[in-house]
Amino acid sequence: NQVYTKTAERRKNDQSSFQEEYEERQRNSTIVTNFSNIYESDLLPAQNGEELTDLFLHEVVDILLSYIKRTYDRKSKVLDFHQPHQFLEGLEGFSVELSEQPQPLEQILVDCRDTLKYGVKTGHPRYFNQLSSGLDIIGLAGEWLTTTANTNMFTYEIAPVFIVMEEILLQKMHEIIGWGETEADGIFCPGGSISNLYSVLVARYKRYPEIKTKGMKALPNIVLFVSEHSHYSVMKAAAVLGIGMDNVISVKCDERGKMIPCELERSILKVKRQGKVPLYVSATAGTTVYGAFDPFASVADICEKYNLWMHVDAAWGGGLLLSRKHSHKLSGIERANSVTWNPHKLMGAPLQCSAFLVREKGLLQACNQLCAGYLFQPDKQYDTSYDTGDKTIQCGRHVDVFKLWLMWRAKGTRGFEIHINKFLELAEYLYKELKARQDYELVFDAEPELTNVCFWYIPPSLQHTPKGPERQQRLHQVTPKIKARMIEEGTVMVSYQPHGDKANFFRMVFSNPATKKSDVNFLLDEIERLGKDL
């Protein structure tokens, strides 16, 4: 306790010192530069462009800092909504048209301010619209540095530090999944959909390596299996890779949204009787709408029994692996052949940051390698296994790893765990609030497994209407009308959708460290305010 008290006192003194320095800088930064006659061509690498570059970038940073402060201010709006035609026609002096002649930097700074002004503050404590939200300051700093470095991830010679960081991160994620004893592999990808595409690509190559040279005509009719609550990206991957959407079987789920193992086995046997080849199963760790976790151990048993590739799409729920309290929900994931995990969701890394992880080393390389002579020379002066470009379907690849590496350094694994546990606590709080309020109805009455909570608002006009088609039809119209009013007001954002035979409902998710219980209460009160007359 004495050590903790001394550390806390030292941090308090340091913070006070930083505050004094900040105030001093603010007092001294009174110089206002007129950029109306200064152009891009006056900045570096122009001769004597250092000072103007410095002044211009400081102005940009001031714009960004002002935006960041507004993002965290609950009094500010989440968005200032305008229709597409308003932007196209020109809005309050903000034109998105491209010009033939260069514009002065004064106009460029105005464009920067307007772009942020009319965008959506996805870091706002009351932005709940997507699975990725929040604005992590360390991650932001990492993205700034990444853009400044402006390099490519295909060879070690041009991205040595970032390549090594990627390997360290991949090894850490393998270890967390439970692959610590195996020599696994992986790559950071432009989003979870591409990571899921890699899983199908590699699974097909593993069974039929001739696909790489001979194409689909050399293969039998292969079939993929997903849960009916799975993300659409596997279906899209089947279309892109020439497998065909008709060869993707949706397996039935229970009321909670979990894949039913006996239904999976029944579907596999049916496909085999049809003379087709079952190839691959994608189980989900945190479905997009319900936040459900498939029974991975049972799915793994079936995949082993029938020799199918098992993939786990943990794009949304993978972060729970960092929580000692909640990681048991992913029990069995260590038996998967491959995993998708998006740190830009629960872990809060700035978009985009997605990892495709595969248990067998060398498979990615064999599947995608083409040995382009101008990039991947075998006689370089370093270990060319660090040239990761031939493991990917891309050539150029953005550096998505540094912001995550920097966040991990700043927070530690336990820091991520604290955030993730808080999200689950907020979801439980919302669930209990909904049960206590008579104007709300849960889509299914079960404590949340992830941070998804699905519900209807029941306006007074429907509260005494008996359940049936008429009530469903009217309820289906209520939710989008409330969302439309919500967007116009700009005070809060939450997603909605229908699902199966269920009328439109709100899907609440938590992934923003700035959100508090008071924001949950605000959301429910706001929905009530906007929808009580419907």
Side-chain angles (χ1 to χ4, degrees):
N1 287 337
Q2 287 179 340
V3 173
Y4 178 81
T5 303
K6 287 180 180 178
T7 303
E9 288 174 357
R10 191 159 56 246
R11 287 181 66 184
K12 188 175 180 181
N13 291 335
D14 289 345
Q15 287 169 356
S16 177
S17 175
F18 283 131
Q19 183 66 26
E20 289 171 9
E21 286 182 31
Y22 173 75
E23 290 170 357
E24 180 68 20
R25 285 200 305 270
Q26 292 293 98
R27 285 193 292 271
N28 293 335
S29 61
T30 54
I31 301 171
V32 178
T33 306
N34 182 358
F35 288 98
S36 59
N37 292 310
I38 300 172
Y39 290 81
E40 179 273 337
S41 56
D42 297 317
L43 304 178
L44 287 173
Q47 190 172 4
N48 301 321
E50 293 90 344
E51 185 178 358
L52 287 175
T53 299
D54 187 283
L55 291 168
F56 173 70
L57 288 179
H58 271 88
E59 286 289 327
V60 173
V61 168
D62 284 345
I63 291 169
L64 295 175
L65 288 174
S66 176
Y67 176 78
I68 290 166
K69 291 171 188 174
R70 289 197 308 275
T71 290
Y72 287 111
D73 182 3
R74 286 171 172 80
K75 294 175 185 173
S76 72
K77 287 187 172 187
V78 177
L79 77 160
D80 182 6
F81 180 76
H82 292 82
Q83 295 289 349
H85 71 85
Q86 292 176 282
F87 288 114
L88 293 170
E89 292 164 5
L91 181 69
E92 300 172 357
F94 179 38
S95 172
V96 295
E97 293 298 319
L98 299 175
S99 52
E100 292 298 321
Q101 298 301 321
Q103 298 294 308
L105 296 187
E106 187 68 45
Q107 181 60 50
I108 301 308
L109 292 169
V110 169
D111 290 344
C112 289
R113 291 189 191 95
D114 286 344
T115 299
L116 291 173
K117 176 184 176 182
Y118 296 116
V120 178
K121 297 188 188 80
T122 59
H124 195 288
R126 293 170 181 168
Y127 173 83
F128 310 112
N129 211 68
Q130 309 303 142
L131 302 182
S132 52
S133 67
L135 181 61
D136 188 273
I137 302 302
I138 300 295
L140 177 65
E143 193 64 59
W144 287 352
L145 187 145
T146 296
T147 302
T148 304
N150 194 33
T151 192
N152 203 314
M153 287 289 283
F154 45 52
T155 61
Y156 176 85
E157 65 185 300
I158 64 166
V161 182
F162 296 137
I163 292 282
V164 171
M165 286 176 174
E166 180 172 54
E167 177 161 303
I168 294 296
L169 282 167
L170 291 170
Q171 286 175 356
K172 185 70 171 177
M173 294 168 92
H174 295 153
E175 177 189 316
I176 290 168
I177 287 170
W179 294 345
E181 299 302 313
T182 61
E183 197 178 6
D185 205 349
I187 205 82
F188 276 76
C189 306
S193 291
I194 299 299
S195 293
N196 284 341
L197 185 145
Y198 270 108
S199 73
V200 179
L201 184 72
V202 170
R204 184 177 63 177
Y205 178 82
K206 172 69 176 174
R207 178 83 70 91
Y208 300 106
E210 63 270 26
I211 182 67
K212 187 172 178 179
T213 52
K214 294 182 168 50
M216 284 296 290
K217 64 180 172 58
L219 270 59
N221 194 337
I222 58 177
V223 178
L224 317 178
F225 300 87
V226 298
S227 91
E228 60 185 357
H229 282 242
S230 68
H231 193 263
Y232 67 86
S233 54
V234 176
M235 185 78 75
K236 185 172 282 191
V240 170
L241 296 174
I243 294 168
M245 291 163 56
D246 287 348
N247 292 311
V248 181
I249 306 298
S250 292
V251 179
K252 287 183 182 178
C253 294
D254 62 19
E255 180 65 21
R256 185 62 187 79
K258 298 171 181 288
M259 184 189 287
I260 302 170
C262 65
E263 289 290 339
L264 171 62
E265 186 164 23
R266 187 189 62 78
S267 299
I268 290 169
L269 291 171
K270 182 179 178 181
V271 162
K272 287 169 74 73
R273 286 195 301 271
Q274 292 170 344
K276 300 175 183 178
V277 179
L279 177 75
Y280 161 108
V281 177
S282 178
T284 309
T287 55
T288 307
V289 181
Y290 283 4
F293 292 82
D294 288 333
F296 304 121
S298 298
V299 172
D301 289 342
I302 292 168
C303 288
E304 288 175 9
K305 182 177 178 179
Y306 296 101
N307 190 30
L308 273 70
W309 181 280
M310 178 182 171
H311 175 66
V312 174
D313 178 3
W316 175 216
L320 258 62
L321 289 166
L322 301 171
S323 166
R324 287 166 290 187
K325 183 177 179 180
H326 297 286
S327 59
H328 66 91
K329 296 170 185 177
L330 292 96
S331 178
I333 192 173
E334 71 281 356
R335 296 173 64 187
N337 299 99
S338 58
V339 173
T340 290
W341 182 352
N342 284 10
H344 70 232
K345 292 192 167 93
L346 272 183
M347 293 174 71
L351 288 159
Q352 58 196 5
C353 191
S354 175
F356 171 66
L357 309 161
V358 59
R359 193 166 54 176
E360 183 178 334
K361 183 83 170 177
L363 205 49
L364 266 172
Q365 188 89 6
C367 180
N368 296 308
Q369 186 176 43
L370 287 176
C371 302
Y374 74 99
L375 280 177
F376 307 115
Q377 305 91 339
D379 51 358
K380 292 178 178 179
Q381 79 275 26
Y382 58 84
D383 180 356
T384 56
S385 68
Y386 285 92
D387 286 353
T388 59
D390 238 5
K391 292 200 294 187
T392 73
I393 54 177
Q394 302 163 255
C395 179
R397 188 162 63 96
H398 186 260
V399 177
D400 291 329
V401 296
F402 180 68
K403 57 198 170 192
L404 178 61
W405 180 88
L406 202 65
M407 287 172 66
W408 216 310
R409 294 275 287 181
K411 299 175 193 292
T413 306
R414 297 286 74 89
F416 283 122
E417 179 183 38
I418 289 166
H419 283 316
I420 288 163
N421 286 346
K422 180 194 168 189
F423 301 149
L424 272 292
E425 288 165 11
L426 286 169
E428 187 177 354
Y429 176 77
L430 172 59
Y431 167 74
K432 289 177 178 175
E433 278 292 306
L434 290 167
K435 284 179 73 71
R437 297 192 184 210
Q438 64 175 14
D439 297 333
Y440 287 93
E441 220 173 83
L442 289 156
V443 172
F444 52 87
D445 191 356
E447 289 194 11
E449 282 194 301
L450 195 45
T451 77
N452 308 51
V453 183
C454 301
F455 61 92
W456 290 285
Y457 169 69
I458 314 296
S461 66
L462 284 178
Q463 285 179 16
H464 301 292
T465 305
K467 291 187 177 182
E470 182 191 345
R471 185 179 186 270
Q472 277 282 94
Q473 186 177 357
R474 289 176 63 189
L475 196 57
H476 191 68
Q477 297 168 351
V478 166
T479 309
K481 284 179 180 176
I482 294 174
K483 177 64 182 281
R485 292 177 178 183
M486 192 184 286
I487 294 291
E488 292 294 337
E489 295 267 347
T491 53
V492 67
M493 278 186 80
V494 64
S495 180
Y496 78 90
Q497 67 279 305
H499 202 281
D501 60 353
K502 291 180 170 60
N504 281 319
F505 56 84
F506 289 110
R507 181 209 62 178
M508 180 71 167
V509 287
F510 295 95
S511 58
N512 186 346
T515 301
K516 298 178 180 178
K517 288 179 180 178
S518 60
D519 300 308
V520 175
N521 295 333
F522 178 87
L523 169 75
L524 297 181
D525 293 343
E526 192 72 348
I527 288 174
E528 215 167 307
R529 181 182 73 82
L530 296 170
K532 62 186 177 184
D533 65 332
L534 294 173

